[in-house]
Amino acid sequence: MALVNSFLCSTGTSLPFSVSAPPPKHVLRWTLSFRPTSRSKVHGRCGATADIKTASLVDGEPDYAVLVGPTTEEQPTGDYDWTQEWYPLYLTQNVPEDAPLGLKVFDKHLVLFKDANAQFRCYEDRCPHRLAKLSEGQLIDGRLECLYHGWQFEGAGKCVKIPQLPADAKIPRAACVKTYEVRDSQGVIWVWMSLKTPPNVSKLPWFENFARPGFQDVSTTHELPYDHSILLENLMDPAHIPISHDRTDWTAKREDAQPLCFEVTERTDRGFAGWWGREKDGSMPNFLRFEAPCVLQNNREIVDKNGEINYFTGLFLCRPTGQGKSMLIVRFGGTKRSPLAKVFPRWYFHQNASKVFEQDMGFLSSQNEILLKEKVPTKELYLNLKSSDTWVAEYRKWMDKAGHGMPYHFGHNTISLPKEPAVVEHAPAGLVAGQSASSPTKGGIGTMHAPNLANRYFRHVIHCKGCRTVVKAFQTWKNALSAVAVALTALAILVSGRQWKAILLASAFLCSVGVYVCSTAIAMNTTNFIRIHRRL
């Protein structure tokens, strides 16, 4: 991701730095051994391990020197239940105040809303009456109303109103909805997906840097048309940044593509962690941690010339939203702000993030398609290099440990295919439905408001209160300036004095420039990035 590169490189590698990692838990280390057999295991200088066939490369260098492969160590496989985890639902600041929000975790449909006491509630997105989506409904005095027949639910999912019941009839006890526990933590709404096991608060993610004094972040949400495992794999792949995101920001440059160093320091049933950096720098200042089910963070500490430690974090919260779909909450921040963050408006960074995801989208969607088509573990498809793909290999090996407890998975050595066919939703729900029906396009196919994940508006703007406000404001200014420009031009035609004509036409021209600026800003927020080398 160019965002990763921007975040890490903007801190500067020439400054003295001091880095530290959280203490490892249940550490499982790789053994250091080499046996020149048909399948050999090598511990490289960057901490990656290979276990592959020893065929030679073209230049005579043995494969085990450059490739990452399976290990001969026994991989511990503990009990894992995907429901007994916390999943990131939404940024707290973007949850609508006056409408329910339809969301998904894997193939489970949820509806999130605020009740009359401003408390977050999460139900199964299904009315017990006739299975209508509650996210298509509305809020009435803090109660969630199904718009099919007007049944209303509150609190712990109890039905409190059925308009069709006789006055003397009681509401059936079975007329209730399943509820999920949610928590608001550090600006993110998390949901506990188990209906049988009480929430394990100790598993609720907590990010130390986000609690530090002076820490500020830029957070965005993006809905993406590929699996969350492919998303995570992409986010933990710094090697692709100079190529795929060349010149997207001020740091990604294709000529900077180079070997990287990795050192795995921790492996547990819940993930892994380690250090990484550029080989030519001779150091590994970046600390990466992946923790089940969907948390990835890159941390770095830099000591400035005054001896003060500045903390920086790139945090990725990746929620699975069904086969071939995912939702990502990106949070970049630090205790020291970049000067650029003070110059550019927040929406500019949001649209730049959207551009980054669009640059990778074609690659990752095709990768998703091939994995589903080939139906084999990644070791039979990937050719992972030690100097670029160590984290990717680590992640797929972790899938081997925990994949049996997921609805489906693609691991390094194992796979479990989806048991349920992918659900194709032909109509938007809840908040999305409201936005898609808004003017001026009424949700027409191929327009800005079309319910399509290939459309930047629906991947990001629909989920971002700030960007929606900005787009509406620019649209209002564009309409107003267009009207003024037309009126001034008409007056310039009617008046007889040359001086007045010149003033009016100049003013109309300035208004037209304003219209162009507004149109450009709207397009930046809603139009997909297209690589210029491609044929159009």
Side-chain angles (χ1 to χ4, degrees):
M1 296 294 301
L3 288 174
V4 180
N5 200 49
S6 176
F7 156 71
L8 294 174
C9 295
S10 64
T11 58
T13 56
S14 61
L15 296 175
F17 57 81
S18 170
V19 278
S20 61
K25 302 179 292 183
H26 311 297
V27 176
L28 298 174
R29 298 193 182 277
W30 297 66
T31 57
L32 308 180
S33 62
F34 171 70
R35 291 173 294 170
T37 60
S38 61
R39 297 181 69 81
S40 304
K41 179 168 58 182
V42 176
H43 191 284
R45 83 173 188 79
C46 294
T49 302
D51 180 8
I52 53 168
K53 296 178 181 179
T54 57
S56 297
L57 302 180
V58 175
D59 61 2
E61 185 179 20
D63 277 359
Y64 60 71
V66 296
L67 298 179
V68 180
T71 176
T72 56
E73 292 181 31
E74 181 181 355
Q75 294 289 339
T77 303
D79 293 333
Y80 186 83
D81 183 345
W82 74 271
T83 67
Q84 296 183 23
E85 299 283 2
W86 293 95
Y87 291 83
L89 281 182
Y90 227 61
L91 285 169
T92 308
Q93 64 188 17
N94 288 332
V95 176
E97 299 283 344
D98 56 355
L101 182 63
L103 302 167
K104 289 176 64 180
V105 177
F106 281 112
D107 289 322
K108 300 293 184 182
H109 290 259
L110 310 176
V111 57
L112 177 70
F113 68 98
K114 281 185 179 181
D115 65 15
N117 299 317
Q119 182 176 350
F120 289 104
R121 300 286 185 177
C122 185
Y123 299 162
E124 181 181 31
D125 195 6
R126 186 171 73 182
C127 180
H129 178 213
R130 297 266 288 281
L131 311 183
K133 279 191 171 184
L134 293 173
S135 58
E136 294 275 11
Q138 61 184 345
L139 296 181
I140 304 293
D141 298 327
R143 299 188 300 271
L144 180 55
E145 180 184 81
C146 177
L147 274 181
Y148 197 4
H149 294 88
W151 290 28
Q152 293 183 4
F153 306 87
E154 69 176 11
K158 180 181 178 181
C159 183
V160 294
K161 182 179 180 180
I162 299 179
Q164 295 80 17
L165 275 181
D168 57 346
K170 293 184 178 180
I171 295 177
R173 296 180 63 182
C176 60
V177 292
K178 294 179 180 178
T179 63
Y180 293 86
E181 291 285 339
V182 289
R183 296 286 189 278
D184 182 358
S185 177
Q186 295 183 295
V188 175
I189 305 297
W190 299 81
V191 62
W192 178 259
M193 285 304 297
S194 177
L195 294 172
K196 300 177 181 179
T197 306
N200 185 341
V201 180
S202 66
K203 283 187 174 182
L204 185 64
W206 176 261
F207 308 105
E208 183 179 2
N209 280 355
F210 282 78
R212 295 185 186 279
F215 192 91
Q216 299 183 51
D217 71 285
V218 175
S219 299
T220 64
T221 302
H222 305 269
E223 202 164 358
L224 300 165
Y226 42 82
D227 190 73
H228 82 287
S229 66
I230 291 177
L231 172 60
L232 276 164
E233 182 184 279
N234 172 252
L235 294 170
M236 60 179 67
D237 173 22
H240 83 285
I241 293 169
I243 304 298
S244 186
H245 307 305
D246 180 32
R247 267 71 183 182
T248 299
D249 55 20
W250 297 273
T251 57
K253 299 177 182 178
R254 64 181 301 107
E255 56 266 28
D256 288 340
Q258 60 190 276
L260 304 174
C261 279
F262 305 87
E263 182 180 356
V264 183
T265 59
E266 178 181 338
R267 291 185 183 86
T268 75
D269 288 339
R270 294 189 55 73
F272 58 88
W275 301 89
W276 68 276
R278 298 185 297 186
E279 186 179 72
K280 73 175 184 179
D281 294 337
S283 63
M284 291 180 282
N286 310 301
F287 186 76
L288 176 142
R289 177 180 293 280
F290 163 72
E291 188 167 359
C294 46
V295 174
L296 178 70
Q297 55 180 317
N298 251 306
N299 294 326
R300 187 167 182 177
E301 299 175 11
I302 295 182
V303 181
D304 63 20
K305 59 184 179 181
N306 298 321
E308 181 182 358
I309 301 178
N310 295 303
Y311 300 89
F312 300 90
T313 292
L315 178 63
F316 306 95
L317 308 176
C318 310
R319 171 163 52 88
T321 58
Q323 297 173 44
K325 293 181 287 185
S326 56
M327 179 170 278
L328 171 66
I329 295 175
V330 185
R331 309 190 73 184
F332 281 98
T335 53
K336 182 178 180 180
R337 295 188 69 191
S338 166
L340 291 175
K342 303 175 182 179
V343 175
F344 290 90
R346 189 168 291 251
W347 65 263
Y348 175 84
F349 295 102
H350 286 209
Q351 66 83 29
N352 194 67
S354 295
K355 181 191 302 183
V356 168
F357 290 112
E358 288 154 10
Q359 289 171 336
D360 284 339
M361 194 172 297
F363 312 140
L364 302 185
S365 296
S366 62
Q367 183 182 351
N368 200 133
E369 181 180 348
I370 291 172
L371 284 175
L372 287 171
K373 179 181 178 181
E374 296 290 342
K375 299 181 175 62
V376 295
T378 59
K379 73 174 182 180
E380 300 184 30
L381 298 171
Y382 290 7
L383 190 64
N384 287 328
L385 301 179
K386 283 184 181 181
S387 54
S388 62
D389 307 310
T390 294
W391 298 140
V392 172
E394 287 294 324
Y395 175 60
R396 292 300 176 181
K397 291 171 188 174
W398 175 81
M399 279 285 196
D400 289 336
K401 303 178 188 178
H404 64 281
M406 298 180 182
Y408 54 87
H409 86 284
F410 290 87
H412 186 79
N413 292 297
T414 62
I415 65 169
S416 59
L417 297 175
K419 296 180 181 179
E420 300 292 334
V423 176
V424 179
E425 298 180 62
H426 296 285
L431 177 67
V432 176
Q435 290 293 330
S436 67
S438 64
S439 59
T441 57
K442 305 299 182 185
I445 298 301
T447 60
M448 184 176 75
H449 295 81
N452 182 353
L453 287 187
N455 181 315
R456 184 183 294 186
Y457 186 89
F458 272 85
R459 285 199 325 275
H460 169 66
V461 178
I462 198 75
H463 300 291
C464 180
K465 187 179 296 184
C467 286
R468 288 202 309 274
T469 301
V470 165
V471 169
K472 289 179 180 178
F474 277 121
Q475 188 68 54
T476 300
W477 276 104
K478 176 184 175 181
N479 294 338
L481 290 172
S482 297
V484 172
V486 171
L488 291 174
T489 302
L491 285 175
I493 295 173
L494 295 176
V495 297
S496 56
R498 291 185 176 182
Q499 184 177 3
W500 279 109
K501 283 183 180 291
I503 293 175
L504 291 171
L505 288 175
S507 300
F509 174 77
L510 290 176
C511 288
S512 299
V513 171
V515 170
Y516 175 79
V517 171
C518 290
S519 298
T520 300
I522 293 171
M524 288 175 68
N525 282 281
T526 59
T527 305
N528 281 15
F529 168 84
I530 302 295
R531 293 187 184 275
I532 58 175
H533 75 278
R534 299 187 64 177
R535 296 178 180 177
L536 300 178

